[in-house]
Amino acid sequence: MVKTILYRVYQLFIAAPLCLVATLITALTVIIGCTLGDGDFWGYYPGRWWSRFIIRVLLLPVKVEGREHLAKGQSYVFVSNHQGAFDIFLIYGFLGRNFKWMMKHQLRSIPFVGKACEAAHHIFVDKRGPSRIRESYEQARQTLSDGMSLVVFPEGSRTFTGHMGQFRRGAFMLADELQLPVCPLTINGSFRVKPRMKDIYWVFWHPLSLTIHEPIQPISQGADNIRHTEEKSYEVIMSGLVPEYQGYVENPDQ
């Protein structure tokens, strides 16, 4: 209990102000840098440094496994379970690969951060009509065609329980169309650090881990390959979860 109180005092008076300033500086840097210079550089590295800073200032230990599975110069469709808000910092800061996010269009409304994501050409997934869905899909396809990797949360929303919900097929259809490998990522600890719908103002100390699994190569093109990469990714990501959170639990937000 004493440790919890001390950690909250630290968050309130030290970590929170530092994170707020870092977020503002990072967002402005991305907006200006992408406007004036190389969008691939400014759209990734400031966010990577910002994410690492957030993790470090909150004193959260991080373990990463499996970077040896990634080939230099290869584009991937990365797919990950979505345990909580800190998935963003963990992947952005520690994956070690330049990429673009696919994210909910609602995030565009976050002050400064939304504009920075827009300037960096991250992809806002807008499901408010077929034409907007097609536009999001086409932007993602063009991103991968240009040699950039993509990170997708196929569940589409954060878990309420720490368990995985269903996967949507969009990411696997993109990988199939361009015949790219799908690389599964397993996140552990993020649900414990920032559980959804619980004490939204506080972060809970807990170790974080990111497991980069061996990429799944296409076995063909079409429905069989889409089904194979989706099912194999789900199985592999699930196998990397700690036993407490293994098993499917329906997510009403999907």
Side-chain angles (χ1 to χ4, degrees):
M1 185 65 180
V2 173
K3 289 183 179 179
T4 300
I5 294 173
L6 289 176
Y7 189 49
R8 290 189 174 186
V9 170
Y10 170 77
Q11 286 182 55
L12 183 62
F13 293 104
I14 299 177
L18 288 174
C19 290
L20 182 62
V21 171
T23 300
L24 179 60
I25 292 173
T26 301
L28 291 174
T29 300
V30 170
I31 293 168
I32 295 170
C34 288
T35 301
L36 299 179
D38 182 353
D40 288 345
F41 177 89
W42 293 105
Y44 170 66
Y45 285 99
R48 181 187 181 188
W49 300 327
W50 166 70
S51 296
R52 284 176 168 260
F53 177 81
I54 298 292
I55 293 285
R56 298 308 187 200
V57 82
L58 287 167
L59 311 177
L60 302 173
V62 171
K63 180 181 180 181
V64 181
E65 296 180 310
R67 283 205 189 102
E68 68 276 7
H69 293 143
L70 302 181
K72 186 177 181 180
Q74 173 67 57
S75 295
Y76 295 100
V77 177
F78 293 100
V79 293
S80 173
N81 61 316
H82 202 2
Q83 282 207 333
F86 273 72
D87 299 346
I88 306 296
F89 303 122
L90 188 58
I91 293 176
Y92 219 158
F94 298 92
L95 179 59
R97 182 60 61 106
N98 201 336
F99 64 87
K100 301 298 183 185
W101 291 103
M102 289 193 76
M103 59 182 68
K104 289 184 175 182
H105 74 91
Q106 292 93 333
L107 298 177
R108 194 194 297 263
S109 63
I110 299 176
F112 294 101
V113 173
K115 287 294 183 183
C117 291
E118 188 175 338
H121 298 294
H122 294 303
I123 300 160
F124 294 98
V125 180
D126 193 337
K127 299 176 183 177
R128 296 173 297 177
S131 63
R132 291 179 176 178
I133 293 174
R134 285 195 298 271
E135 183 179 341
S136 299
Y137 187 92
E138 176 58 28
Q139 187 181 353
R141 189 192 66 79
Q142 188 59 55
T143 295
L144 291 167
S145 298
D146 291 342
M148 182 64 68
S149 292
L150 197 65
V151 173
V152 185
F153 295 115
E155 294 166 277
S157 60
R158 290 169 292 154
T159 176
F160 285 94
T161 65
H163 299 79
M164 287 169 59
Q166 295 179 334
F167 274 6
R168 293 190 174 92
R169 289 199 165 184
F172 307 99
M173 293 170 64
L174 279 168
D176 174 72
E177 180 182 344
L178 298 173
Q179 288 292 278
L180 291 173
V182 174
C183 185
L185 308 173
T186 298
I187 289 173
N188 279 295
S190 179
F191 181 73
R192 301 291 296 274
V193 169
K194 196 68 175 166
R196 190 172 184 180
M197 311 301 290
K198 177 185 175 183
D199 291 334
I200 61 173
Y201 299 109
W202 302 108
V203 170
F204 297 85
W205 188 94
H206 194 276
L208 294 163
S209 72
L210 173 66
T211 302
I212 304 166
H213 298 283
E214 188 172 350
I216 302 167
Q217 302 295 332
I219 58 170
S220 61
Q221 189 162 24
D224 287 344
N225 184 52
I226 294 169
R227 183 168 52 253
H228 169 74
T229 53
E230 179 186 359
E231 291 177 355
K232 185 66 175 176
S233 295
Y234 197 94
E235 174 189 332
V236 169
I237 294 171
M238 180 77 75
S239 71
L241 287 171
V242 296
E244 180 182 0
Y245 296 122
Q246 289 190 4
Y248 166 78
V249 173
E250 182 180 1
N251 186 338
D253 197 27
Q254 287 193 292

